[in-house]
């Protein structure tokens, strides 16, 4: 939300030829312009007057600025909402659908830019998870049997698995993409697209029109809730032996959208490990009550974990959770 408040939304044409700001709308609305600003930047360098060589393109650009972009920019900078989902909620339906569509394209643009800038140099929970799994002879089965439910639009998980397959297991790119397709990775609120369709960090060819159509805010998910999708998640949860909540917000709407009502009866027979890093004691009480978990404060010394204490909420990072509680037979 803060990134979109601070975003430079540009200005209408004619522009200053020395203006060095990216003309991001050409990327975001490629279905109208027919090429990306990146293509033109390669050809013309900083002479941005050439980015829109046709009068109709310049006119359409200015219509976008007047009708959608500048009103969106003013609204989001003055907004009292704390998340983009909440901001876009007030732009769903009626005439403001175009602003909601633009907001989703812009979110995808920022995510792809972040993917592009990412070097994935830091060791995080995904590397620790894959290192643990790699020690097993049946690593393929483990990866394909594990269900990942994510509310994030980014593909860092898929990209790390792709790197694992191509770098550590020497898979060809096509074989790695095929393997990931067979895995059970679900983006609950919509999906940017597969790595094969949209390469990691592909800002200039992000297919933003298609991305916006398959992105759903929490509020759209609530209105258009697909009970068959929810039932599928519930089947996974019913049969799960272990459930890990990592970096999760525990918003009741999110929990209900994957089929976990208050009391969490559906995962009563599973071992459940959940992070609560930095959360207040009141927030932890809400979460532990909703999910029927034991709340452990973060301690400097390791505490004994008898078998009865296998449903825990802990002030710990996702890395800590994997290192301490992710085990394989």
């Amino acid at each position: 939300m803060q990134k979109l408040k601070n975003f430079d939304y540009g200005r209408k044409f004619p522009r200053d030829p020395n203006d060095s700001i990216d003309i991001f709308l050409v990327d975001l609305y490629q279905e109208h312009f027919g090429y990306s600003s990146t293509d033109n930047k390669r050809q013309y360098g900083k002479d941005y007057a050439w980015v829109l060589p046709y009068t109709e393109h310049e006119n359409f650009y200015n219509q976008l600025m007047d009708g959608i972009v500048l009103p969106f920019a003013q609204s989001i900078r003055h907004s009292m909402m704390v998340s983009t989902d909440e901001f876009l909620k007030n732009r769903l339906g009626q005439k403001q659908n175009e602003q909601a569509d633009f907001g989703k394209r812009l979110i995808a643009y920022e995510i792809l830019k972040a993917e592009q800038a990412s070097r994935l140099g830091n060791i995080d929970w995904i590397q620790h998870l894959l290192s643990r799994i790699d020690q097993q002879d049946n690593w393929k089965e483990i990866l394909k049997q594990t269900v990942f439910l994510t509310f994030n639009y980014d593909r860092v998980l898929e990209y790390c698995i792709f790197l694992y397959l191509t770098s550590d297991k020497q898979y060809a790119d096509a074989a790695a993409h095929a393997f990931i397709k067979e895995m059970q990775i679900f983006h609950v609120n919509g999906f940017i697209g597969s790595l094969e369709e949209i390469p990691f960090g592909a800002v200039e060819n992000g297919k933003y029109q298609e991305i916006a159509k398959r992105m759903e805010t929490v509020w759209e998910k609530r209105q258009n809730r697909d009970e068959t999708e929810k039932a599928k998640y519930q089947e996974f949860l019913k049969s799960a032996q272990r459930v890990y909540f990592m970096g999760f917000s525990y918003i009741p709407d999110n929990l209900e959208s994957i089929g976990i009502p208050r009391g969490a009866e559906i995962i009563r027979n599973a071992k459940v490990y959940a992070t609560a890093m930095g959360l207040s004691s009141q927030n932890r009480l809400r979460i532990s009550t909703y999910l029927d978990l034991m709340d452990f404060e973060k301690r400097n010394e390791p505490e004994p974990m008898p078998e009865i204490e296998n449903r825990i909420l802990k002030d710990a990072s996702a890395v800590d959770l994997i290192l301490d509680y992710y085990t394989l037979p």
Side-chain angles (χ1 to χ4, degrees):
M1 184 64 173
Q2 194 60 52
K3 274 182 177 260
L4 297 193
K5 280 179 176 286
N6 297 336
F7 193 85
D8 191 331
Y9 290 88
R11 55 200 58 84
K12 294 164 60 178
F13 275 82
R15 297 164 66 103
D16 182 346
N18 295 318
D19 195 343
S20 61
I21 298 171
D22 287 349
I23 303 185
F24 69 98
L25 286 185
V26 180
D27 287 329
L28 261 58
Y29 289 88
Q30 289 177 35
E31 72 270 21
H32 294 291
F33 294 111
Y35 49 77
S36 73
S37 61
T38 303
D39 295 334
N40 284 268
K41 277 179 271 187
R42 291 192 184 116
Q43 185 174 356
Y44 298 113
K46 289 189 177 182
D47 190 357
Y48 283 95
W50 284 96
V51 172
L52 299 174
Y54 304 112
T55 302
E56 62 269 25
H57 284 180
E58 184 173 321
N59 289 340
F60 180 70
Y61 189 98
N62 286 340
Q63 287 172 21
L64 284 173
M65 292 296 291
D66 279 334
I68 302 175
V69 180
L70 296 180
F72 182 96
Q74 183 180 29
S75 294
I76 201 165
R77 284 169 182 156
H78 294 159
S79 174
M80 294 293 103
M81 299 298 99
V82 297
S83 76
T84 51
D85 268 13
E86 290 177 331
F87 175 75
L88 292 178
K89 175 188 70 172
N90 294 311
R91 272 142 192 84
L92 297 172
Q94 301 176 358
K95 295 180 180 179
Q96 291 185 313
N97 261 343
E98 289 183 338
Q99 283 198 21
D101 173 77
F102 170 68
K104 291 176 181 180
R105 294 182 192 225
L106 193 57
I107 290 169
Y109 181 75
E110 282 295 298
I111 289 170
L112 288 170
K113 276 171 55 181
E115 287 185 353
Q116 190 179 67
S118 173
R119 295 295 177 267
L120 299 178
N122 297 327
I123 302 296
D124 68 8
W125 70 268
I126 304 174
Q127 284 94 322
H128 283 292
L129 177 72
L130 292 174
S131 292
R132 290 275 173 96
I133 291 173
D134 188 61
Q135 296 170 20
Q136 307 298 313
D137 291 336
N138 63 335
W139 63 269
K140 293 180 186 177
E141 289 75 17
I142 294 170
L143 279 177
K144 290 181 181 180
Q145 289 170 5
T146 302
V147 177
F148 298 90
L149 301 180
T150 176
F151 288 81
N152 295 335
Y153 301 120
D154 68 62
R155 291 92 48 82
V156 171
L157 174 62
E158 290 95 321
Y159 187 58
C160 284
I161 293 170
F162 177 81
L163 294 178
Y164 166 67
L165 292 171
T166 55
S167 298
D168 296 301
K169 295 303 186 184
Q170 291 87 51
Y171 273 50
D173 287 4
H177 287 310
F179 187 99
I180 292 170
K181 282 181 182 176
E182 294 177 6
M183 290 182 62
Q184 301 179 92
I185 303 174
F186 302 93
H187 292 256
V188 177
N189 285 348
F191 188 32
I192 286 179
S194 70
L195 295 174
E196 195 171 21
E197 178 192 4
I198 302 172
F200 194 74
V203 176
E204 67 278 1
N205 61 341
K207 301 180 182 178
Y208 295 98
Q209 183 182 28
E210 289 85 353
I211 291 173
K213 287 178 181 176
R214 57 188 174 219
M215 285 174 72
E216 286 188 299
T217 65
V218 171
W219 312 101
E220 287 171 299
K221 201 74 178 177
R222 179 194 284 179
Q223 292 171 3
N224 308 322
R225 187 162 287 163
D226 186 340
E227 293 302 320
T228 59
E229 182 183 359
K230 182 177 173 180
K232 175 177 65 179
Y233 299 149
Q234 287 182 312
E235 286 304 311
F236 293 140
L237 292 164
K238 285 176 185 176
S239 60
Q241 296 175 355
R242 288 168 293 160
V243 178
Y244 298 86
F245 292 93
M246 296 186 292
F248 194 58
S249 63
Y250 304 100
I251 297 171
D253 275 317
N254 284 348
L255 286 163
E256 288 172 8
S257 72
I258 58 174
I260 304 180
R262 183 172 297 278
E265 184 70 33
I266 195 168
I267 51 174
R268 184 61 55 82
N269 296 323
K271 296 180 179 180
V272 181
Y273 308 102
T275 62
M277 191 171 181
L279 298 183
S280 68
S281 56
Q282 189 62 34
N283 218 348
R284 291 201 308 270
L285 176 61
R286 174 183 67 82
I287 297 162
S288 59
T289 302
Y290 191 107
L291 293 175
D292 187 28
L293 303 177
M294 296 183 65
D295 185 8
F296 284 80
E297 294 279 0
K298 188 171 185 179
R299 301 171 184 169
N300 292 325
E301 71 283 350
E303 66 275 358
M305 291 297 297
E307 187 62 28
I308 194 171
E309 296 173 356
N310 58 18
R311 296 177 59 82
I312 67 168
L313 179 71
K314 197 170 182 183
D315 184 358
S317 69
V319 169
D320 291 334
L321 211 68
I322 294 296
L323 291 177
D324 293 344
Y325 305 116
Y326 185 79
T327 57
L328 290 167

